[in-house]
Structure formats: structure tokens, C-alpha cells
Amino acid sequence: MCGIIGITGRPDAVDGIVAGLTRLEYRGYDSAGIVTNDGRDLRVVKRAGKLQQLVKALEAQPLATSTGIGHTRWATHGEPTDRNAHPHVDPSGRVAVVHNGIIENYQALKAELGDARFASETDTEVTAHLVARELDRQPEDARDLLAAVRAVVARLQGAYSLCFVALDAPDEIVVAKHEAPLIVAHADGVGYCASDVAALIAHTREVAALLDGQFARIAPDGVEVVDVHGEPVEPHRYEVDWDLAAAEKQGFPHFMLKEIHEQPQAIADTLRDRLTVPPNGGGPRLYLDELRIDEHELGSIDKVFILACGTSLHAGMVGKLAIEHWAGIPVDVEVASEFRYRDPIVDPHTLVIAISQSGETIDTIAGASYARDQRAPVIALVNVVGSTLAREADGVLYTHAGPEVAVASTKAFTTQLIGCLLLGLFLGQVRGRLFASEAEDILARLQSVPEAVQQVLELDAQIAALAERYHDVDYTMFIGRHTGLPIAYEGALKLKEISYLHAEAFPAGEMKHGPIALIEQGSLVVALAPAGRVFGKMVSNIQEVRARGAAVLAIGTEGSTAELKAHADDVLTLPEPPHELAGPVLSVVPLQLFSYHVATLRGEDVDQPRNLAKTVTVE
Ligand code: G6P
């Protein structure tokens, strides 16, 4: 939600900020703006609409200085208009701010400023007023932006990464972080900050992530990081392990399509080098990227909670199947935003697995930290290296999918599915339910998944033809059982989020308890029907909806499609997975492609669907 970038120390700072905003636009895209600081004036250009509107405005009204900050917005307080777009400037024009997050006590702070004139309806603007007031209170010959920002931030409630410039400090950018991501960097005499490494990758791969409660003064001669007391601290430094090419479309019309096609490679990367020979002998064992929990502690786990949101939640549903199957531990899968507001029974024998592509989703982070407060071990299944969730967890399994830019998650999901299988095998091994050799054998079988996904991608022309046939349906219902159910949920989410078609998912067996009343002529039912333990039941459910007028598109496997062809209007045949729990990795791919083609046929903006943002850092 909202992307921030700041650059100081290069004459083409404005170009760098605009280029960075294009990489951050996935975080929010209802308005964008930029402010430059040449020590005499703060010059602001901001526009409602996609970043392109700002680019056009900058062509008409070029800005040039070596210091500036920029923002791309996902509106929370105040509609997406020019005046609510960031940056916001105090009335005297000496301090400007961009912000990601929500200042919860902004009304009280505004009231304190009496009859001050506010130019926007945002929660953010008040911080510029307050920092300007703090600067006024400092001695004229010793104005210190960092000290002023610290004084103001001490009074804020909510979640924020904030980025300020002021006429009093022409080469400086000062940032503050609390529960919203912020990266800082310094390279070749230029200082940078951004919400995400994607915005900085063109300039440097050496970055540092600020921790909550940290502040930074960014200047051409270096970056100074301090804590709430102003004491110098070391931020979390790391090197980004991907390059600029990974963050570009590389000839594909959309990031989503590129990312769908990257799945064979991404899955292979997630599976790579997962076996290690323990130093004290014995056969090879599965391992996670970082494990700061004693394996004996994991042996005494009696319950697992999986916490996640959106697509990651659907991966968690497969995680439940895998952990219960291989490790024999009961698992609850929880919407992270619900978990934290009830009274879940969590103790040191509960393992919490937090799944998140970004590692920055506020509800997932908050759920995981609640669990840690109860002394429950937390394992994060995360894509973004160095993200908040990865840093705060006791153990991390990275999905190694590379940067995912499209709002609709694809390769992050399939690699999360693989991560869930690995976690199931890992816990089965730790708890002695699986011999290391069994885990090794299953892992060896999983190595064929990338090739099988490649075969599914080759069905693209057939899937595009199905999209052509069905892109105007009134209502779409996705149904599945067992491994098919999480993919039914994910298929419906993909379709609704990028094509805006009304799509819902139900356990196939639940349809008769209500949802089947929705079925009529003109409805489409997408049925996940692989060969296996629930195939016969799925066939019955397909017949039930077909008898009520729905067209049925069945996603089957080599072992099931002969029979499906007798019952469904259209059948897609996927390869048999190397293990039934790996089936979802294959069956989601045609649904990703189907949604993609439906959305493009309907003329929708696939990579930036309305009302959504890729990383949700507000509640
Ligand atoms: C947003 C994105 C989804 C994503 C969800 C959770 O809603 O649009 O694609 O699944 O957040 O994000 P996370 O980064 O925690 O996986």
C-alpha cells in the first residue's frame, strides 16, 4: 500500500525517482507525486490517476534538483484526487512528506494545530505541519530535521514509513519506520530510501532494512541510522540476490503473464539444494533456509496454526493437507486478520507458520508477533529476502521465486505450495513420522514438477480458446474437494481480482447446502477433478450442476479425463502429479492463464486491477 522512494546526491534524482516509482506502482496506483528540494523551494508535482499522469505533468513542468522524494498512493484517508496525492507540504512550504501506512491519531493531532489550514483530507499532512512546528522551535542556527522528525514521530499512533525533506536541510532526506517497510542504501555518493528493493535495484544491491522504531538521515555522504533515543544503531544489511532484468517485463505484454511463465524455473529454485548431510552423520535431511528453533522443540509441537492472507492463505490450505498427512499434527489455517482479534489458544507447543509473498502484510506480521509473545515458535514461508516477517520469525523458508510485480500472485503461489510440501516433509522428518529416506524419495519425485508445469503452460492456446468462449458469463462457481478445494478458492480469486467477473468457490460437497441455488443457464462451473480419492464424488457434483443449466469446465488429469469428457462441456487434461499433494501446483496454472485471458479479452488492466494493491500494509 503506497510506495515511497527518495534520492539525494545526483543531478538526475527526478528521473531516478520516477523510474523507482514505476517499480513501486504495484503497491498502489491511484495517484502519484514528487517533491524536489533545492534549498530555496520545495517544488511539488502530483496527479490523481496512474503514474503516467504524473509523468505527463512532469513533461509539461520539468523538475530538476539532486534531492527529492516520490510516492505512489493507494488511498485510505481521502479520495484519490490531486490534492490528496502525496507529497504533502506544511502551509509555510518548508517541509514535505510522503507516507505509507495510517496515522490513527491524526484527528487529535490536527485539532491541536487549531485553525491551521489543511490542503488535503489525508491523515498524512498533519505530520508535515508538526515537523515544521518542531523546526521552528529549534535554534535558528542549529536546525536538525532528524531531531524534529523524532520528536513528532514519538507522538504518532498507527503504522507508517514516513519520508521528509525540508528547506532547512537541503541535501537530506529523513525517514522513520514503524510497521511499514523501509529500505535505505548508499552507493557512489548517492543516498536512497524506498519501500522495496525493487525501486533501488537499478542503483545498488547492497541495502539495509530499517527496523521498527529506527530513523535514518540520508545524505550524499552517507546514511546515519538511529533509534528512538537518537543513538546510532546498525540496521539489517543484506545483498539483493536478483537483478534488474528480473524486475522487467522482458518482452511479455504483462508482468502477470511473464510471472506465470517463470513458474517452472521458480519452482526449481524453491526445490534446489534442500537436502543436507548432518555433520554428526546419518543420511541426508531436509532443511530450511534459516532455523533458529531447536529441532527437539519442534518435536514437541502438538498443534499448528497457518496464518496468511489472500493467495497465500490458499497455499496454507494445501500446507494443512501436507502437514497433517506427513507429520500427523492437527493444523488450523487462519485468515491472519481474524486470528489476531480473537483469543486463539497458542502456547510454546504450538507452531505458527506465517505465509506471505512480501513478508510485509500487516495482519500476517501482527499474527506472527502475537504468537511469539505467547512463546510459540514461528516459521515464515516468505518470498522477499530480508522482509519484516523473515527477520522476525524463528525459522524461514524462502520461496526463491524472484520479484513478483503483478498484483495477482502466480509464481509466488506455486512456490509457496512447494514450500508447504517441504514444510510437511520437514515436520514429518523432525517428528520421526517420516524416515529421512522417505522424505528424500518424495523430494526426488517433486523434482519433476517444473517439467510438468511446463507441459501445462503448453496448453495455453486451448485455455485462450476457453477464455474466448466464457469471458462473458454471468456467474462463475469454482468447486473442488481435498487438494482441489484450495485451488477452487484460488481460481475464483484470480478471476475476480483481474477480470471483475463474479466468481466464488465452494467445497463441491457443500453446494447442495445453498450455493447450488445460484446455478442457472449462463453460469459457468469450473470443477477441479483430478484422478484420485475424491474423483467419483466430483463427477456426481458435476452432474448436479450440469442438470441445472451450468456449463462445466473440468480440470482433470490423464487418469480422469476420459470419464470427465462424458460429463463436462470442456475438459483440460493435465499430467498426473508425482504425488497427489503436488497436484495443486499443476492445476492452478490453467486457472491463472484462464483468468489472464478473460481479463485481457474484457480489456481490463491485468497488472494493476482496480481497488487492489500488491502489499497490504494497512489494516
Ligand atoms: C494482497 C495481494 C495478494 C496477496 C495478499 C497477501 O491482497 O494482492 O496477491 O496474496 O495481499 O500478500 P502476501 O505478500 O502476504 O502474500
Side-chain angles (χ1 to χ4, degrees), residues 593-606:
L593 286 168
F594 181 72
S595 303
Y596 173 79
H597 290 302
V598 168
T600 47
L601 284 165
R602 295 172 66 88
E604 305 302 354
D605 186 341
V606 170

Side-chain angles (χ1 to χ4, degrees), residues 64-88:
T65 51
S66 58
T67 302
I69 57 180
H71 187 266
T72 178
R73 179 170 187 244
W74 187 87
T76 58
H77 294 61
E79 303 165 63
T81 56
D82 285 356
R83 74 193 188 96
N84 287 332
H86 298 214
H88 296 289

Side-chain angles (χ1 to χ4, degrees), residues 50 115 168 244-245 250 263 272 415 475:
K50 298 248 165 103
D115 54 7
D168 308 75
L244 189 57
Q250 297 176 326
Q263 291 179 109
R272 181 166 302 124
T415 55
Y475 174 73

Side-chain angles (χ1 to χ4, degrees), residues 14-140:
V14 172
D15 294 343
I17 291 167
V18 172
L21 289 177
T22 61
R23 308 223 181 282
L24 293 173
E25 210 185 1
Y26 72 86
R27 298 178 67 86
Y29 34 81
D30 60 40
S31 50
I34 186 166
V35 58
T36 56
N37 183 7
D38 61 8
R40 293 183 305 277
D41 293 303
L42 296 179
R43 294 184 60 204
V44 175
V45 177
K46 54 187 191 174
R47 287 293 181 275
K50 298 248 165 103
L51 184 59
Q52 203 43 38
Q53 302 306 319
L54 176 69
V55 171
K56 274 195 207 141
L58 286 169
E59 280 163 12
Q61 191 187 343
L63 291 180
T65 51
S66 58
T67 302
I69 57 180
H71 187 266
T72 178
R73 179 170 187 244
W74 187 87
T76 58
H77 294 61
E79 303 165 63
T81 56
D82 285 356
R83 74 193 188 96
N84 287 332
H86 298 214
H88 296 289
V89 181
D90 79 292
S92 70
R94 77 191 289 187
V95 174
V97 64
V98 295
H99 168 215
N100 170 28
I102 294 178
I103 309 294
E104 288 169 359
N105 58 336
Y106 77 105
Q107 296 282 22
L109 295 169
K110 270 173 115 168
E112 194 182 286
L113 290 169
D115 54 7
R117 196 176 41 81
F118 283 88
S120 75
E121 299 148 306
T122 64
D123 53 329
T124 304
E125 186 186 342
V126 69
T127 64
H129 292 229
L130 290 171
V131 169
R133 188 176 70 172
E134 274 308 312
L135 286 168
D136 275 335
R137 288 172 175 171
Q138 294 174 350
E140 204 171 323

Side-chain angles (χ1 to χ4, degrees), residues 177 179-182 209-210 212 358-360 365 382 384-393:
K177 174 194 163 11
E179 293 182 1
L182 202 56
L210 294 192
D212 281 351
S358 61
E360 302 295 350
I365 292 171
V382 170
V384 177
V385 175
S387 54
T388 305
L389 201 54
R391 286 198 312 271
E392 292 184 357

